[in-house]
Amino acid sequence: MPRITRRSSLILLAALTGAVAGCSSPKPAYEKEDFTQNDTYSRSVAASSAAACDAGRRALLSQGYLIDRFESARVTGHKNFQAEDGQHTQISFNIECAADGASNERSTVFATAVQDRYSIKRTANSASVGVSVLGQVSMPFGASDDSLVKTASQTVARPKFYDGFFQLLQRFLPDAQAASAPQPAPAGRGKTPPKPAPAEPAVSPDAPADTLNPAAASDTPAANGKAAPADGKTGAPADSKAAAPSDSKAAPAGSPPPAGADAAK
């Protein structure tokens, strides 16, 4: 009877030990994700998606982040940190902006930060020296190559971290909206002024008439009643007798004889 009791106790102890070991083992990461509704990583703002992302870019720049990519609906940036123990940390920030309707007057901003940790890995340099008896001997040098090796990567889940970012976004939102608003075109832009009509060439009153161009000659001062210079080809004859009729028969019938006719008789 005592043997049976002792054996049962050992079996019960082994079962309890196994149960405790099973409970203490870490759970997979996907079991921690329950997709509960919260506003840790998103906010709704009264602005277009382009203005919201521009405000997020300004918020990151105000905190010393370097912008890696900037688009109308997406912004990415990063910032580097170094701890006293030599650990290097980099925070990569990602912003996505989505419009909440066809009017694009409201949008939702999604923000996610990833923390990557790096450690310094040192590799000593060595060279091989050939010896006739011993063959090749590797002799290390004092120099070494230092490189950063990623040791951990984790998404930042602290609500206060994102609360501070969204508060800065709201602060820069009015400036971003003013920058993205369409600028009115200046008045009168796009209308070309009429070209002035070409001025007519001025004609000198003393200029000679153009005999080869009658139309131009009619516009000369000579055609307007002003005397033109006498010319043997174009001007009137200098003798006044040639201008008067020499034959009395040319006079119309019934007209009195010229005054000079009686004097000639």
Side-chain angles (χ1 to χ4, degrees), residues 64-65 77-93 113-120 148-156 161:
Y65 281 80
H78 71 277
K79 185 177 182 180
N80 297 319
F81 304 87
Q82 183 175 1
E84 297 179 356
D85 56 354
Q87 291 287 333
H88 296 262
T89 304
Q90 183 181 87
I91 295 181
S92 300
F93 213 100
V114 178
Q115 177 179 277
D116 298 329
R117 293 182 180 179
Y118 297 86
S119 61
I120 298 177
L148 291 176
V149 179
K150 183 186 291 188
T151 58
S153 181
Q154 184 179 3
T155 301
V156 179
F161 175 83

Side-chain angles (χ1 to χ4, degrees), residues 210 212-220:
D210 188 0
L212 299 180
N213 191 356
S218 62
D219 297 335
T220 58

Side-chain angles (χ1 to χ4, degrees), residues 6-51:
R6 185 177 180 182
R7 185 177 297 177
S8 301
S9 300
L10 292 176
I11 294 173
L12 182 60
L13 180 61
L16 291 176
T17 304
V20 172
C23 294
S24 61
S25 60
K27 294 182 179 181
Y30 64 85
E31 291 187 2
K32 299 179 182 179
E33 287 291 329
D34 50 4
F35 287 95
T36 57
Q37 184 176 359
N38 54 45
D39 56 351
T40 302
Y41 306 99
S42 63
R43 291 289 192 282
S44 180
V45 296
S48 62
S49 58

